[in-house]
Amino acid sequence: MKMRKGLFTAVLLAATAVSGLVGAGEKVRWAHVYEPSEPYHQWSEWAAQEINKRSNGRFEVEVFPASTLGKEVDLNQGLTLGTIDIIYTGQSFAAQTYGPLALSDAPYVFRDFDHWQKYTRSDLFAEFAEGYRQASGGNVILGDAYYGLRHVTSNKPITKPADMEGLKIRVPNAPMYRLFPEAAGAHTSPIAFAEVYLALQQGVVDAQENPLPTIKAKKFYEVQKYIDLTGHVTGSNLLVAGGIFWNRLSEEDRELFRSVAQESADRVSADIAKSEAELVEWFRGEGVEVLEVDRAAFRAVTLPLLNGEVATWTQDQFDRLQAIR
């Protein structure tokens, strides 16, 4: 009798332990480098709640913002090690594993926002995602979220390529960022980001380029007369699930994560596109001259340079991207 009672107790304790694990849900770690106030985090939190709800509590997703789990290089390494399950990462980081992904970071490869959106749903993007999956040992791209257009700020009006002839412009220290201004005849200077405001103020450089939210946050408009809407780079970030995490999911659960992740990325994109339009009016309200430019003319002088030595994609891949309508 005592033996049967002891056996019953052991079974009950084991069942309770299993029940506790199921009730808590499988822990999923989702990490990124963006601030809690930004759409990237807000819609990641929404996705975490949706996954928990749609899985009836089988998954408990915790989102770690603002580089809590490390910088982007650390997050990408975490996917490989299985210590992080889902991340947002820039195209350039993913391109270190699979080069063709960098194509979408090249200047003027997209005609407009609609062209970028169609690319993210194209066969070409699907092929890039599969190439990245194979090269990364199983990491899966779940979505692509808009980050914003990069624009020039300057102390003289710039509306066409000739206006940039001889201009001294600060750019990040990478060949890809030099392509656009040098194609238009400008001289590039890779000044450290923390020193850009002072360099503009002192006239070390005449101009710089960044997305509108960065121009506002770093107050570059205080030391520049014009914001020239060149829109030369269409920035975006990939939403990626690690191979170790993905391989333990059933096909049904994979579809759940794909669906919620894509919806989350779409909502990020919509929010950021809306905020860009609002920022144009905000800058004008601050007395800054915001200029529309002849982007077609800038594209015409830039695109011929994109398949040179900096290219990590093929001519065919470039041509297919341009053919998307």
Side-chain angles (χ1 to χ4, degrees):
M1 188 63 140
K2 287 183 179 179
M3 185 181 294
R4 289 167 63 185
K5 184 177 180 181
L7 180 61
F8 174 77
T9 302
V11 170
L12 182 62
L13 288 172
T16 301
V18 170
S19 174
L21 287 173
V22 172
E26 180 180 346
K27 304 292 185 183
V28 178
R29 294 158 68 87
W30 178 323
H32 61 76
V33 299
Y34 305 100
E35 295 300 319
S37 60
E38 295 186 75
Y40 275 90
H41 182 67
Q42 294 166 357
W43 289 113
S44 294
E45 287 281 20
W46 172 85
Q49 295 169 11
E50 283 296 299
I51 290 167
N52 181 265
K53 181 171 68 176
R54 297 185 198 182
S55 69
N56 296 315
R58 288 186 297 105
F59 294 100
E60 186 175 319
V61 181
E62 185 175 0
V63 183
F64 298 86
S67 302
T68 307
L69 298 185
K71 299 177 182 179
E72 279 198 70
V73 65
D74 304 312
L75 301 188
N76 279 271
Q77 186 177 30
L79 282 187
T80 303
L81 297 174
T83 56
I84 301 173
D85 302 309
I86 300 173
I87 67 169
Y88 265 115
T89 190
Q91 307 284 343
S92 59
F93 282 92
Q96 292 174 20
T97 300
Y98 182 69
L101 283 170
L103 176 57
S104 68
D105 259 354
Y108 289 117
V109 291
F110 297 109
R111 294 180 298 276
D112 49 33
F113 182 77
D114 181 62
H115 185 194
W116 171 80
Q117 279 194 311
K118 287 177 178 176
Y119 159 71
T120 66
R121 289 159 172 75
S122 69
D123 290 342
L124 179 62
F125 183 77
E127 289 176 23
F128 284 175
E130 175 57 20
Y132 170 75
R133 186 191 67 79
Q134 294 181 19
S136 65
N139 294 348
V140 176
I141 295 174
L142 302 177
D144 196 12
Y146 185 57
Y147 188 61
L149 294 172
R150 297 180 78 93
H151 302 289
V152 171
T153 68
S154 59
N155 283 322
K156 73 170 195 173
I158 294 172
T159 60
K160 57 187 183 299
D163 295 334
M164 289 185 68
E165 188 72 37
L167 188 78
K168 294 182 295 183
I169 182 170
R170 180 270 172 186
V171 297
N173 190 18
M176 191 73 72
Y177 289 102
R178 296 198 297 268
L179 279 174
F180 151 66
E182 291 180 357
H187 303 300
T188 56
S189 180
I191 295 169
F193 188 55
E195 300 170 9
V196 175
Y197 184 97
L198 190 61
L200 293 170
Q201 188 178 50
Q202 296 180 345
V204 176
V205 289
D206 308 310
Q208 67 85 46
E209 53 81 55
N210 262 298
L212 293 179
T214 304
I215 293 168
K216 180 184 179 184
K218 302 302 290 185
K219 301 185 184 299
F220 295 147
Y221 64 93
E222 293 181 345
V223 288
Q224 298 270 260
K225 294 179 181 178
Y226 301 96
I227 296 177
D228 316 292
L229 298 178
T230 50
H232 49 280
V233 171
T234 303
S236 65
N237 290 291
L238 297 169
L239 184 52
V240 184
I244 293 174
F245 163 70
W246 196 251
N247 287 338
R248 67 173 182 260
L249 296 180
S250 67
E251 191 51 48
E252 180 182 1
D253 288 334
R254 288 177 181 178
E255 186 53 39
L256 166 64
F257 277 89
R258 280 195 194 99
S259 175
V260 174
Q262 183 62 66
E263 189 174 348
S264 173
D266 287 345
R267 292 180 181 222
V268 170
S269 299
D271 273 7
I272 290 180
K274 180 173 180 288
S275 73
E276 281 187 311
E278 292 170 347
L279 275 174
V280 167
E281 295 310 312
W282 184 89
F283 283 119
R284 286 176 172 150
E286 292 293 304
V288 182
E289 290 197 53
V290 182
L291 305 178
E292 299 293 337
V293 312
D294 186 352
R295 290 188 188 174
F298 280 112
R299 287 189 89 232
V301 300
T302 304
L303 289 185
L305 304 181
L306 297 189
N307 294 299
E309 60 183 23
V310 300
T312 55
W313 52 85
T314 66
Q315 180 71 51
D316 177 66
Q317 290 166 337
F318 175 85
D319 291 342
R320 287 175 63 194
L321 176 57
Q322 297 310 302
I324 294 173
R325 301 287 172 180

